[in-house]
Amino acid sequence: MAEQWARSGLDLHLGIDRARGLRAGLEEALRSAVRDGRLAPGDRLPSSRALAQELGVARGTVTQVYEQLTAEGYLTSRARSGVRIAPRPRPETTVSVPAVSPCWPPADRFDLRSGLPDLSMFPRREWLAATRHVLGSMPNTDLGYGDPAGDPTLRTALADYLGRSRGLRTSPEQIIVCAGYTHALRIICQAVRGTIGFEDPTRQDYPAMAERLGLTVTRLPVDEDGLVVDALTGENAVVVTPAHQFPLGVTLSPQRRRDLLAWACRTDAVIVEDDYDGEFRYDRQPVGALQGLAPERVIYAGTVSKTIAPALRIAWLAVPGHLVPALRAVLRYDEAYVNVIDQQVLAHLIGRGDLDRHLRRCRVRYRQRRDRLGRVVAERLPHARLSGISAGLHAMMHLPGAAEPELLGRLAARGVVTEGISLFYRDARDAPPGLVIGYATPPQHAFEPAIAALMAVCAGDDGAESPVSGRRRGAERSARPGVRRRPR
Amino acid sequence: MAEQWARSGLDLHLGIDRARGLRAGLEEALRSAVRDGRLAPGDRLPSSRALAQELGVARGTVTQVYEQLTAEGYLTSRARSGVRIAPRPRPETTVSVPAVSPCWPPADRFDLRSGLPDLSMFPRREWLAATRHVLGSMPNTDLGYGDPAGDPTLRTALADYLGRSRGLRTSPEQIIVCAGYTHALRIICQAVRGTIGFEDPTRQDYPAMAERLGLTVTRLPVDEDGLVVDALTGENAVVVTPAHQFPLGVTLSPQRRRDLLAWACRTDAVIVEDDYDGEFRYDRQPVGALQGLAPERVIYAGTVSKTIAPALRIAWLAVPGHLVPALRAVLRYDEAYVNVIDQQVLAHLIGRGDLDRHLRRCRVRYRQRRDRLGRVVAERLPHARLSGISAGLHAMMHLPGAAEPELLGRLAARGVVTEGISLFYRDARDAPPGLVIGYATPPQHAFEPAIAALMAVCAGDDGAESPVSGRRRGAERSARPGVRRRPR
């Protein structure tokens, strides 16, 4: 990078980065000078001839730069008064607005929240290579509005991928590409009438959104066999996480699967299968999706938010054929919002096996973390217990007798960000005391320190009183089992 | 590309593309063989040792390939029975579903629909270079869920860009990034209560969406000075296209701008400024946005759909400070759906001046087309008239006496896809007969043939009766002026 100082009538100090090319360098130098106030509105720039001489460049180069910056609104150019810095509109100053919120999650803390993969594993090289491929080969016509249900390339790749990896019985015509699971669920809620059931516990945002969209919401208990099917009444639809209940981490048992399908057939209801982390099972081969057993009863939802990154905003539905028209009707006003380039990039990654390769790398890492967490808890916290199957990105850590709010406060003081189990229950009193540990979330170098900090606080080694002795609500709590067992 | 035929007990014909590397080539060859049915479920593959010998590759390579394809679900591997092709789930066959719809617009026709830029101008090289930059520099934490209102990088770049190019008075904190204008409008409709006004004509989908979201909709006439402000009653919000009314192509006059702002202040209403193509004005410098006059009254909406491509699904709102909390509350359930990588790519293109450079290239091309269209219409269609200012991506072509449906049918027969003016009116009888011509839409090589085909049909040179003599409803129509003039 060569610095050059240009002096003119304006005493114009420009650090020009010639490595980017003279024209680009001069352009950027002028932009910076305007942005940081060194050139103020109304300031007159030297003539293109004068500046060209001073910089020792062709006059045409300066002219091009002035034209470009005039088009960008940085400069004004008038016959008599020459080239000047354009007046800038004053920002609206009558009201104060919240500042742009910081990135989520914050970079400087131990992040053990659930719902995130290790973002340091994002396949940047593969994503860039696939983008190069797609931009080099996609027809111009693909850059228009496209099919609101998603790009045919991706829908074809997904139908194939879901068939072989999750046992789905579907076709490209039944796939709808969405901008994340929340969008997918909102599309469904707009096509369903009446009552929709949600598991309790679950993420509270989902039933809240359904209510906002005019549906009546019921909440259904979960035990160690998954959703309690007997608790279903007249719901028109039910949202369930069969592979790995969130957040309890249990699997819907084979008997419950049969019961649930029988209920849906009997009452003509729709099952929404939220397969948010179905790709990650560490103790044996993943259990196939419920959808494969009854493709005409189940709307299947999957996402890349847990497998690659939430930032991509890509999810999908596999829809029973007879429901395709109803969901397409919703799409007219709530269309698929996913960049077609990104859709074709993902299709390329799936078709080349890059996604599966990435998943294998992730599985190895998350399994090691899950195992490590289990060992550390057994060693350091004799009162605690992990529950849920060896799968996914999170585990439930039961801490009998712990006072959750106080514990979370002490964790936060040590820089550990995590969630209490009660956050996911409609009634916090139904929740067993403890934490949901998103062990996949931290980058590799931060995993051990994060777990160490977590253990120190939970074991009371942080100088505060031990959580187990913090028996504000502990006495009644410790009698409650981690996951409610239904008599059957 | 070297072909190699491997023969084993299975008579395995594999065309291996060694240019991609042996492992990748063998993987892809096996995937293709499964996909196209040459290898059927249950087929047994040779042992890794045997296949390695046959292909003359290291056994480890074959083992890796088998592991990868097992993880992908193509193969199963069991102790006794060796490696076999996995069973495939049968697709749901009980119902028929619509086929994946073709790309919109179809590639093999003359596309003169409005609302699309020339997609062949998409800055592929710049987009790829910016993606490389972003993937090489963005922190991992940016790959999480992020701020629902949009990435701070893009919001900062947009606040700057909109200030200098459109005269907005705003700040990054007031920008909300959306997945296209439809999404932007839906967010607004969920924050507004009561009644919302739309111009008549407009795209019918927008008022239809507002009604669907529970708002009462009024429709307001437009004359050659733009929205008829006197027609406003007690609306809580009004959606207007001041820079270039869609589809009439007129500009909101200075007096009407003042009247509209006075109305909004008096009634405490919100103005939604749809600045869909404000960057494109060919006769003089673009008129600044209405927002710059009253940033506390106007929600400004812009998009890349007309400047770069709809496929990107990126738009933005600049929101009055006091409305930021209400719109953020909506985002909780209807979040910004835009890939953070794409947001940072766009921010990079804006910051480097690539967007403005692209806009200058587009302006030159579209202006030439607009001028050319004007000349051709004057030469070939003495009865016709173009209306609207020299701006944007479309023009209104008035064809007094033409029977629109019949004309559109004859155009379609010649491969010309376009829209009648009546499509945009609530009551088709209010529309002057004629067409909305999206002259920016075709790629450069197809522009002249598209215009020639359009002229041939409109002039009656296609062998059908002349549209002007097709007076089914022509007599009453020809008396109606192109744009209704209000007495004032």
Side-chain angles (χ1 to χ4, degrees):
Chain A
M1 167 171 162
E3 287 271 331
Q4 172 151 358
W5 296 82
R7 291 186 168 271
S8 67
L10 188 71
D11 197 22
L12 193 62
H13 297 273
L14 294 175
I16 298 174
D17 179 0
R18 286 181 181 251
R20 296 178 58 181
L22 246 179
R23 201 193 60 181
L26 178 57
E27 253 179 50
E28 189 52 37
L30 281 168
R31 272 191 213 106
S32 310
V34 175
R35 279 190 199 129
D36 64 18
R38 279 174 292 145
L39 291 175
D43 281 355
R44 185 167 176 167
L45 286 175
S47 72
S48 56
R49 184 200 307 267
L51 188 57
Q53 274 186 346
E54 226 161 331
L55 296 174
V57 303
R59 185 176 170 190
T61 305
V62 178
T63 313
Q64 281 179 356
V65 168
Y66 280 6
E67 281 172 7
Q68 167 75 15
L69 295 179
T70 304
E72 293 182 23
Y74 286 104
L75 308 180
T76 58
S77 174
R78 287 215 182 72
R80 295 268 168 81
S81 70
V83 177
R84 292 179 183 274
I85 306 302
R88 302 299 305 254
R90 282 168 298 116
E92 178 198 6
T93 51
T94 51
V95 285
S96 72
V97 292
V100 171
S101 58
C103 297
W104 190 91
D108 59 339
R109 313 184 88 181
F110 296 129
D111 196 336
L112 290 172
R113 276 175 296 192
S114 59
L116 280 168
D118 177 351
L119 298 171
S120 74
M121 297 185 80
F122 187 90
R124 295 184 185 223
R125 194 170 47 82
E126 292 82 355
W127 192 268
L128 179 61
T131 304
R132 185 181 302 111
H133 171 84
V134 167
L135 284 172
S137 60
M138 75 191 293
N140 290 324
T141 44
D142 283 6
L143 291 162
Y145 281 95
D147 189 323
D151 188 74
T153 321
L154 178 57
R155 292 158 68 192
T156 303
L158 281 172
D160 180 65
Y161 168 76
L162 296 171
R164 58 188 162 76
S165 76
R166 306 293 298 127
L168 257 65
R169 289 157 60 192
T170 190
S171 66
E173 293 76 17
Q174 293 167 265
I175 303 284
I176 293 175
V177 179
C178 311
Y181 175 69
T182 305
H183 180 218
L185 183 61
R186 207 185 56 241
I187 291 171
I188 295 169
C189 286
Q190 289 175 91
V192 166
R193 303 274 156 100
T195 305
I196 187 166
F198 286 87
E199 295 171 328
D200 186 24
T202 185
R203 283 205 189 278
Q204 306 293 340
D205 281 356
Y206 302 147
M209 182 178 70
E211 272 181 351
R212 214 180 133 89
L213 290 166
L215 294 171
T216 304
V217 168
T218 63
R219 298 296 294 271
L220 305 157
V222 178
D223 64 21
E224 75 268 30
D225 287 328
L227 176 80
V228 177
V229 176
D230 289 352
L232 284 161
T233 49
E235 287 83 359
N236 303 89
V238 60
V239 182
V240 61
T241 48
H244 192 219
Q245 204 279 336
F246 187 86
L248 297 186
V250 298
T251 302
L252 192 66
S253 71
Q255 182 59 48
R256 290 275 176 85
R257 291 180 167 235
R258 286 190 289 274
D259 294 348
L260 181 61
L261 292 173
W263 167 83
C265 290
R266 198 169 62 239
T267 63
D268 197 25
V270 173
I271 299 166
V272 180
E273 175 172 28
D274 175 8
D275 197 40
Y276 65 104
D277 69 357
E279 286 93 346
F280 294 124
R281 177 133 189 188
Y282 313 127
D283 49 354
R284 50 182 164 117
Q285 284 285 76
V287 174
L290 196 61
Q291 194 271 2
L293 301 176
E296 75 291 350
R297 278 283 151 218
V298 177
I299 302 179
Y300 172 94
T303 174
V304 299
S305 293
K306 319 298 177 199
T307 53
I308 311 182
L312 296 178
R313 312 315 296 130
I314 305 182
W316 47 82
L317 296 174
V319 177
H322 67 279
L323 292 179
V324 169
L327 286 159
R328 275 196 168 267
V330 172
L331 289 179
R332 171 139 186 229
Y333 303 101
D334 200 0
E335 63 199 46
Y337 294 119
V338 187
N339 182 346
V340 176
I341 298 172
D342 295 334
Q343 293 188 57
Q344 297 196 358
V345 165
L346 180 58
H348 190 69
L349 293 178
I350 291 172
R352 283 197 46 143
D354 285 331
L355 176 60
D356 290 278
R357 229 179 314 273
H358 172 73
L359 287 174
R360 290 173 69 196
R361 282 194 294 265
C362 292
R363 271 188 212 108
V364 170
R365 179 170 289 187
Y366 298 156
R367 176 185 197 145
Q368 285 169 348
R369 291 189 183 183
R370 166 85 198 200
D371 291 350
R372 173 81 182 135
L373 180 65
R375 284 196 305 274
V376 173
V377 168
E379 283 167 20
R380 295 289 310 278
L381 304 174
H383 299 288
R385 180 172 72 81
L386 285 193
S387 76
I389 59 169
S390 181
L393 312 177
H394 76 276
M396 295 262 288
M397 190 167 81
H398 300 273
L399 294 164
E404 222 181 64
E406 182 250 7
L407 180 61
L408 290 170
R410 282 167 49 223
L411 284 164
R414 278 287 293 259
V416 179
V417 190
T418 185
E419 299 148 327
I421 295 176
S422 66
L423 182 67
F424 302 99
Y425 278 84
R426 182 178 47 166
D427 184 342
R429 287 170 303 184
D430 288 344
L435 303 172
V436 178
I437 305 297
Y439 53 78
T441 305
Q444 189 72 350
H445 65 86
F447 175 71
E448 285 292 340
I451 296 302
L454 174 72
M455 290 302 126
V457 174
C458 291
D461 297 350
D462 59 337
E465 79 180 325
S466 160
V468 181
S469 65
R471 291 192 181 275
R472 273 161 224 169
R473 301 189 304 173
E476 76 187 89
R477 279 287 171 107
S478 55
R480 187 189 294 277
V483 177
R484 285 186 297 169
R485 184 164 206 120
R486 277 185 92 242
R488 29 187 334 243
Chain B
M1 168 171 163
E3 287 270 331
Q4 173 152 359
W5 296 82
R7 291 187 168 271
S8 66
L10 188 69
D11 197 22
L12 193 61
H13 297 274
L14 294 175
I16 299 175
D17 179 0
R18 284 180 182 250
R20 297 178 57 182
L22 247 178
R23 200 192 61 181
L26 178 58
E27 254 180 49
E28 190 50 38
L30 280 167
R31 274 190 212 105
S32 311
V34 175
R35 281 190 196 129
D36 64 18
R38 279 175 291 145
L39 291 174
D43 282 354
R44 185 168 177 165
L45 286 175
S47 73
S48 56
R49 183 200 308 266
L51 187 57
Q53 274 186 346
E54 224 161 331
L55 296 175
V57 302
R59 186 177 170 190
T61 304
V62 178
T63 312
Q64 280 178 358
V65 169
Y66 279 6
E67 281 172 7
Q68 169 73 15
L69 295 179
T70 303
E72 293 181 25
Y74 287 103
L75 307 180
T76 58
S77 175
R78 288 217 181 69
R80 294 271 167 78
S81 69
V83 176
R84 291 179 184 275
I85 306 302
R88 303 298 304 255
R90 283 167 297 116
E92 178 198 6
T93 50
T94 51
V95 285
S96 72
V97 291
V100 172
S101 58
C103 296
W104 189 90
D108 58 339
R109 314 186 86 180
F110 295 129
D111 195 335
L112 290 172
R113 277 174 295 190
S114 59
L116 280 168
D118 177 352
L119 298 171
S120 74
M121 298 185 78
F122 186 91
R124 295 184 186 223
R125 194 171 46 83
E126 292 82 355
W127 192 268
L128 179 61
T131 304
R132 185 181 301 111
H133 172 85
V134 167
L135 284 173
S137 61
M138 76 191 294
N140 290 325
T141 45
D142 284 6
L143 291 163
Y145 281 95
D147 188 322
D151 189 73
T153 321
L154 178 57
R155 292 159 68 191
T156 303
L158 282 171
D160 180 65
Y161 168 75
L162 296 170
R164 59 187 162 74
S165 76
R166 304 294 298 127
L168 258 63
R169 289 157 60 192
T170 190
S171 66
E173 293 76 18
Q174 292 167 265
I175 303 284
I176 293 175
V177 179
C178 312
Y181 175 69
T182 305
H183 180 218
L185 183 60
R186 208 185 54 240
I187 291 171
I188 294 169
C189 286
Q190 290 175 92
V192 166
R193 303 274 157 99
T195 306
I196 188 166
F198 286 87
E199 295 171 328
D200 185 24
T202 186
R203 284 205 188 277
Q204 306 294 339
D205 280 357
Y206 302 147
M209 182 177 71
E211 272 181 348
R212 212 180 134 91
L213 290 167
L215 293 171
T216 304
V217 168
T218 63
R219 297 295 294 270
L220 305 158
V222 178
D223 64 19
E224 74 270 29
D225 287 329
L227 176 80
V228 177
V229 176
D230 289 353
L232 284 161
T233 51
E235 287 84 357
N236 303 90
V238 60
V239 182
V240 60
T241 49
H244 192 220
Q245 204 279 334
F246 187 87
L248 297 185
V250 298
T251 303
L252 192 66
S253 72
Q255 182 60 47
R256 290 276 175 83
R257 290 181 167 234
R258 284 189 292 273
D259 294 348
L260 180 61
L261 292 174
W263 168 83
C265 289
R266 200 169 60 239
T267 64
D268 198 25
V270 174
I271 299 166
V272 180
E273 176 173 26
D274 175 9
D275 197 39
Y276 65 104
D277 68 358
E279 286 92 345
F280 294 125
R281 176 133 189 188
Y282 313 126
D283 50 352
R284 49 184 165 116
Q285 284 285 75
V287 174
L290 196 60
Q291 196 270 1
L293 301 177
E296 74 291 350
R297 278 284 151 217
V298 177
I299 301 179
Y300 171 94
T303 174
V304 300
S305 294
K306 319 299 175 198
T307 52
I308 311 182
L312 296 179
R313 312 313 299 128
I314 304 183
W316 47 82
L317 296 174
V319 177
H322 67 280
L323 293 179
V324 169
L327 286 158
R328 275 198 168 267
V330 172
L331 290 179
R332 173 143 186 226
Y333 303 101
D334 198 359
E335 63 198 46
Y337 294 119
V338 187
N339 183 344
V340 177
I341 299 172
D342 296 334
Q343 293 188 58
Q344 298 197 358
V345 165
L346 180 59
H348 190 69
L349 293 178
I350 292 173
R352 283 198 46 145
D354 285 332
L355 175 60
D356 292 277
R357 227 179 315 275
H358 172 73
L359 287 174
R360 291 174 68 197
R361 282 195 295 266
C362 293
R363 271 188 212 108
V364 170
R365 178 170 290 185
Y366 299 156
R367 175 185 199 146
Q368 286 168 348
R369 291 190 184 182
R370 166 84 198 201
D371 292 349
R372 173 80 181 137
L373 179 65
R375 284 196 304 276
V376 173
V377 168
E379 282 166 22
R380 295 288 310 277
L381 303 174
H383 298 288
R385 179 174 72 81
L386 285 193
S387 75
I389 60 169
S390 181
L393 312 177
H394 77 276
M396 295 261 289
M397 191 167 81
H398 299 274
L399 294 164
E404 221 181 65
E406 182 251 5
L407 181 60
L408 289 171
R410 282 167 47 223
L411 284 164
R414 278 288 293 260
V416 179
V417 189
T418 185
E419 299 149 326
I421 295 175
S422 66
L423 181 67
F424 302 98
Y425 278 84
R426 183 178 45 166
D427 184 341
R429 289 169 301 183
D430 289 343
L435 304 172
V436 179
I437 306 296
Y439 53 78
T441 306
Q444 189 71 351
H445 66 85
F447 175 70
E448 285 293 340
I451 297 302
L454 173 71
M455 291 301 125
V457 174
C458 291
D461 298 350
D462 59 337
E465 81 182 322
S466 159
V468 181
S469 65
R471 292 192 181 273
R472 273 160 225 170
R473 300 189 305 173
E476 75 187 88
R477 278 287 171 106
S478 54
R480 187 189 295 274
V483 177
R484 286 185 296 169
R485 183 165 205 118
R486 278 183 91 243
R488 36 190 323 249

